[in-house]
Amino acid sequence: MGAKHKAVFLDRDGTLNEERKYLSDPDKLVLIPGVVEALRQLRDAGFLLFVVTNQSGIGRGYYTIDDMHRVNTRLLAILEKQGIEISNIYFAPEAPENPSRGRKPSPQFLQDARDQFEVDLSRSFMIGDKVSDVRCGENAGVAASILVRTGYGAEHAEKHSSSLATATIVPDLSAAALWILAQ
């Protein structure tokens, strides 16, 4: 049968919602302007939507896994009210220095989505605000990895320009969605 769905994999903090450095309070979750409309455009174009997030604050002891789930629940509720469904949220709770099955830049969660949701990674995209997001998509073999300049994106674009030579860099998720839809 094989893979039949195309997907967009999205980093959470700094890509969908404003960067809050170890966000653990759902009341502090604020979507970046334009995110809902961008997700709606991608959904309407037939993309499944996934969130892939490193949550090292759990492994560092800054907040609990339950705190993260509360933030994710609020995110899903906001999006569902707008008719947007996230197929799954994949998260890596480990601190960077600890072994992790899925911590980006590992492609593991994208491969899991491929297997669980019949996603064709070669027709899919990864969007995030860090080099690790771009590498994650490249490592999984997606059609393109896109760096948004929201969150840490502007800093990463400047600091890591040579290692981002193959990445598409855009101002925000709205611009990323338009770029994907133009392909």
Side-chain angles (χ1 to χ4, degrees), residues 102-145:
R103 184 174 171 76
K104 295 175 289 185
S106 166
Q108 188 61 58
F109 291 146
L110 279 63
Q111 293 164 347
D112 290 349
R114 175 197 64 201
D115 299 343
Q116 294 168 331
F117 294 89
E118 298 182 331
V119 169
D120 180 349
L121 292 174
S122 72
R123 293 172 54 222
S124 299
F125 298 86
M126 176 74 208
I127 304 172
D129 68 325
K130 292 183 178 171
V131 173
S132 58
D133 298 313
V134 170
R135 293 287 166 266
C136 172
E138 291 171 351
N139 292 339
V142 298
S145 285

Side-chain angles (χ1 to χ4, degrees), residues 12 16-18 20 23-32 36 51 66-82 84 86 89:
R12 191 187 82 180
L16 294 175
N17 54 272
E18 292 178 2
R20 291 278 192 250
L23 177 63
S24 61
D25 179 351
D27 292 334
K28 293 192 174 148
L29 177 89
V30 176
L31 291 187
I32 293 170
V36 169
V51 173
D66 288 337
D67 293 332
M68 181 211 59
H69 284 309
R70 281 192 288 277
V71 171
N72 288 344
T73 298
R74 176 141 194 272
L75 173 66
L76 294 175
I78 291 168
L79 295 176
E80 283 169 13
K81 278 184 190 152
Q82 300 294 325
I84 296 162
I86 300 295
I89 296 179

